[in-house]
Amino acid sequence: MHKLFAAAAPALLVLAVSAAAQVKHNSRAPIDFGADVIELQDKQNRAVLSGNVSLRQAEMTLTAARMTVFYTGQVLGGKPQVSRFDASGGVVVKRPDQTARSNYAIYDLNRRVITMLGNVTLTQGGNTVNGGRLTLNLDTGRAVIDGSSVAGGASSGNGGTVSRAPSGRVTGTFSVPDRN
C-alpha cells in the first residue's frame, strides 16, 4: 500500500501545480445569460431561469436545467445587483482547462466561490476526480472535493441538508505521463 501512495504523489503534485497555474477568473466581468423562460419575482428580489440555462462570465460558462438568480435589492446604474446563482439539473461549469459536473451548484458572487453538490466530477486534462461536493475558489483556482453530498433534494438553500455520501470517499483517476 505504501508503494501506491509513493506512485500517486507525482500525479498529485502535477494536479496541484496545474490548478495553481490557472489564470485568475475575472469575477467582475459582466454575466451574459440565456434561457428558454425567465420568471421575474421582483418582490422576492429574484428571477427564475428555466430550460437550457447558460451563463457566461469571462472565460467561464455555467449551464443547467434551472437557475435562480438572487438580487441584493440594490440598483446601481439602473441594474439590479446580483449576489448569487443557484443552479440545478445537470449542472456543468467549464473553464479553459477544467470541466466540473454535478446535480446542484451555488455561485456566490460576493465570495467568488462556486460550490457544487451531488455526483460531482471534476476533469482536468487526463485527470478525473469524483466526490459529493466541490468547492471552487475562482480567485485562486483551488478546487477541493470531499465525500459530502446533498440530501433531501433541495437546490435553493432553503431547507436542504448536507450529509455524508454513502461511500463518504473521493475517487478518481490520475493520468501518468508516458515514460520511456
Side-chain angles (χ1 to χ4, degrees):
M1 188 112 167
H2 180 60
K3 289 181 183 180
L4 176 63
F5 288 118
L12 288 171
L13 181 61
V14 169
L15 187 63
V17 169
S18 296
Q22 282 188 349
V23 175
K24 180 178 173 181
H25 175 71
N26 181 3
S27 58
R28 295 190 186 276
I31 298 174
D32 296 319
F33 74 91
D36 293 340
V37 177
I38 182 169
E39 176 186 339
L40 299 173
Q41 300 174 352
D42 286 337
K43 290 184 180 181
Q44 293 84 19
N45 289 326
R46 67 182 178 204
V48 178
L49 307 171
S50 57
N52 302 307
V53 180
S54 64
L55 298 180
R56 181 168 185 82
Q57 184 179 41
E59 80 292 341
M60 181 182 74
T61 60
L62 191 155
T63 58
R66 179 180 169 94
M67 196 171 305
T68 303
V69 182
F70 294 91
Y71 310 118
T72 64
Q74 296 177 334
V75 177
L76 297 176
K79 299 176 186 176
Q81 299 302 294
V82 175
S83 61
R84 189 177 88 205
F85 295 95
D86 289 4
S88 63
V91 179
V92 178
V93 175
K94 288 188 178 184
R95 299 186 59 191
D97 64 344
Q98 289 180 330
T99 299
R101 300 176 187 279
S102 68
N103 296 334
Y104 309 101
I106 300 165
Y107 178 9
D108 183 333
L109 276 80
N110 297 324
R111 292 179 47 228
R112 294 172 296 284
V113 170
I114 296 176
T115 304
M116 301 182 77
L117 303 164
N119 298 315
V120 174
T121 300
L122 176 63
T123 305
Q124 183 173 351
N127 304 312
T128 301
V129 181
N130 306 295
R133 177 175 55 192
L134 163 66
T135 305
L136 178 60
N137 183 313
L138 296 174
D139 283 345
T140 65
R142 183 176 182 207
V144 178
I145 296 180
D146 64 36
S148 297
S149 184
V150 70
S155 64
S156 298
N158 55 1
T161 59
V162 176
S163 63
R164 212 46 148 163
S167 69
R169 298 185 51 82
V170 176
T171 61
T173 302
F174 291 112
S175 62
V176 177
D178 197 15
R179 296 181 177 99
N180 296 330

